[in-house]
Amino acid sequence: MSVSQPAFLDLEGVSRRFGDRVVLSDVTLAIPPGRITCLLGESGCGKSTLLRIISGVDRPDGGRIRMSGTEIVGPDRFVQPESRRIGFMFQDYALFPHLSVAENLAFGLRHLPKAAQRDRVAEVAGRIGIAHLIDRYPHSLSGGEQQRVALARALAPQPAILLMDEPFSNLDQGLRERVRRETLSTLRRIGTTAIIVTHDPQEALAVGDLIVLMRGGRIEQMGTPFEIYDRPASPYAAEFMGPCNRLTGIFSRGRIETPIGTFPADLDLPDGALALACIRPQALSIGPDGHGISARVMAKTFMGESEQIDIMVHPLAETLRMHSHVRIPMAVGEKVSLQLNGAEIHVFADDGLGANGRGTNPRETID
Ligand SMILES: Nc1ncnc2c1ncn2[C@@H]1O[C@H](COP(=O)(O)OP(=O)(O)OP(=O)(O)O)[C@@H](O)[C@H]1O
């Protein structure tokens, strides 16, 4: 899917510090219209701060923001939050407990005549599928129902963009997936431009048209879910988006030589430099001994849908982890052969963090 149409929201060099602490550093980003953009990153990387700055409840120390080409934040300009046509949906939904669902929905419509408020509340309640809840109070609603009311309240004033901070994290696993699917289909049906903050890579892959992966107040990588997952720009991005086995190797003439094989590597490195292969668990498969790289099964963990298998390959210091969706008959301790699927192997210049990603000597696995 292309996300290259003119941006709805343009952020240019946005920065924010609290005291000495730089929380956002030079964030430049284009949010496409009518699409769902996920701000993804670990706790403290600045996602919520960026969302607050876009909403206007916080001001950046530097940079500009344009909405549909018009500057709303800049060195000499600051459009107040209420004039930005931005909807905000909070993690805890922040419904008013003393107001009925209808009154919650009407809250952002107070500038309209009463009849227009009623029409709009009925319209949005019908669209989000909560018309039957309209006279209830928040405390009598399930988590999923509260989420839908919060979504309807945020959409009622017809915002130009909807900002959602971890909107599904208060729901338990089973409900979360259903509510997420429903919410997304609503947002897509009405062509909403939305920014969703999440720390969960699976959620970002499932919901985002565009993923913006943040790290320490900067953008580490942005792209479609397939781009980010299939072509991570750094070991950090590869490992954030899903488990990886790290293998250090030596770069030579467009290839990286590791103890378990040599892989193509389009890297701008001198021959002899250390390089890193990040191998997804699904890139590995095992068969009977004698048909590939010699290995040994060290542990098997049955996980229902798949089986996690740790295998040791001489001379690696750490075991490699693989996931198998078919039953593996080999027992722990048995010798096996390891096969590799090159498409799931990502190569990078070495980041000095070694095989376990925690900063051991990278040479220990290849000497
Ligand atoms: N008003 C503030 N004063 C001082 N520090 C702040 C303030 N707001 C945020 N921070 C700090 O800025 C950093 C980024 O916070 P932010 O809430 O944006 O992160 P986040 O990525 O949304 O994290 P989480 O996923 O945990 O919500 C954190 O270290 C936080 O402590």
Side-chain angles (χ1 to χ4, degrees):
M1 177 182 294
S2 164
V3 287
S4 58
Q5 65 263 61
F8 173 74
L9 202 64
D10 250 316
L11 282 73
E12 194 187 312
V14 170
S15 58
R16 180 71 169 112
R17 56 171 65 229
F18 293 107
D20 288 346
R21 179 121 202 263
V22 177
V23 169
L24 291 176
S25 183
D26 198 18
V27 172
T28 294
L29 165 64
I31 305 286
R35 298 293 172 91
I36 295 168
T37 299
C38 277
L39 291 184
L40 171 68
E42 59 192 20
S43 182
C45 72
K47 310 178 292 292
S48 301
T49 302
L50 189 57
L51 212 63
R52 284 200 302 274
I53 285 175
I54 293 170
S55 75
V57 299
D58 192 14
R59 292 179 187 230
D61 298 306
R64 292 174 195 278
I65 303 178
R66 287 186 204 85
M67 194 188 260
S68 300
T70 304
E71 189 166 287
I72 57 169
V73 177
D76 310 309
R77 185 149 173 82
F78 185 81
V79 173
Q80 292 299 326
E82 57 276 17
S83 306
R84 291 189 188 186
R85 292 197 54 219
I86 283 177
F88 208 104
M89 192 172 144
F90 300 92
Q91 186 171 359
D92 58 3
Y93 313 141
L95 297 175
F96 300 114
H98 58 292
L99 299 183
S100 69
V101 168
E103 290 162 340
N104 265 282
L105 264 50
F107 191 79
L109 307 172
R110 285 159 299 164
H111 58 287
L112 296 177
K114 280 275 178 238
Q117 286 187 27
R118 268 196 303 275
D119 288 352
R120 180 83 193 116
V121 166
E123 197 261 316
V124 77
R127 193 191 297 164
I128 308 293
I130 53 166
H132 60 297
L133 303 174
I134 210 82
D135 294 323
R136 302 259 293 268
Y137 281 79
H139 69 86
S140 74
L141 302 175
S142 71
E145 289 166 341
Q146 289 184 32
Q147 205 270 1
R148 267 146 68 199
V149 173
L151 177 65
R153 188 180 63 177
L155 291 174
Q158 296 177 298
I161 183 169
L162 180 62
L163 310 181
M164 306 166 90
D165 198 349
E166 303 267 6
F168 310 109
S169 60
N170 275 344
L171 303 169
D172 59 38
Q173 185 63 36
L175 190 59
R176 185 181 313 155
E177 240 175 73
R178 183 166 65 77
V179 172
R180 196 165 71 190
R181 219 178 19 246
E182 285 172 8
T183 306
L184 288 199
S185 89
T186 303
L187 296 180
R188 292 197 198 286
R189 199 172 60 241
I190 54 184
T192 314
T193 305
I195 303 179
I196 300 183
V197 160
T198 179
H199 62 272
D200 177 356
Q202 292 301 322
E203 182 159 287
L205 290 171
V207 309
D209 295 311
L210 176 71
I211 296 177
V212 179
L213 175 62
M214 296 180 63
R215 178 189 189 188
R218 292 179 180 274
I219 294 175
E220 179 79 5
Q221 185 176 358
M222 57 184 148
T224 64
F226 288 110
E227 282 166 354
I228 297 243
Y229 190 83
D230 292 339
R231 294 198 295 283
S234 62
Y236 181 88
E239 288 171 335
F240 194 91
M241 299 312 295
C244 279
N245 295 288
R246 286 176 154 248
L247 272 189
T248 38
I250 303 289
F251 180 78
S252 173
R253 282 178 289 170
R255 302 180 75 75
I256 165 172
E257 292 164 19
T258 79
I260 64 165
T262 298
F263 314 115
D266 185 13
L267 298 171
D268 188 15
L269 289 176
D271 283 358
L274 282 176
L276 183 67
C278 291
I279 304 175
R280 297 267 185 228
Q282 60 271 31
L284 303 175
S285 57
I286 53 174
D289 190 22
H291 300 280
I293 303 154
S294 187
R296 191 178 294 279
V297 176
M298 302 304 285
K300 292 172 79 176
T301 311
F302 183 50
M303 301 169 76
E305 239 175 61
S306 66
E307 199 165 11
Q308 180 175 289
I309 299 156
D310 293 334
I311 39 187
M312 184 58 88
V313 185
H314 180 77
L316 298 181
E318 308 262 341
T319 54
L320 299 176
R321 178 156 289 179
M322 61 168 272
H323 292 154
S324 177
H325 288 273
V326 293
R327 297 281 186 276
I328 298 285
M330 295 80 152
V332 172
E334 216 170 298
K335 280 178 78 178
V336 291
S337 287
L338 175 70
Q339 283 104 34
L340 294 154
N341 167 12
E344 301 274 8
I345 300 173
H346 308 297
V347 290
F348 305 100
D350 181 49
D351 62 1
L353 293 179
N356 57 19
R358 294 191 297 267
T360 51
N361 175 8
R363 288 204 174 268
E364 72 188 8
T365 59
I366 52 173
D367 283 348

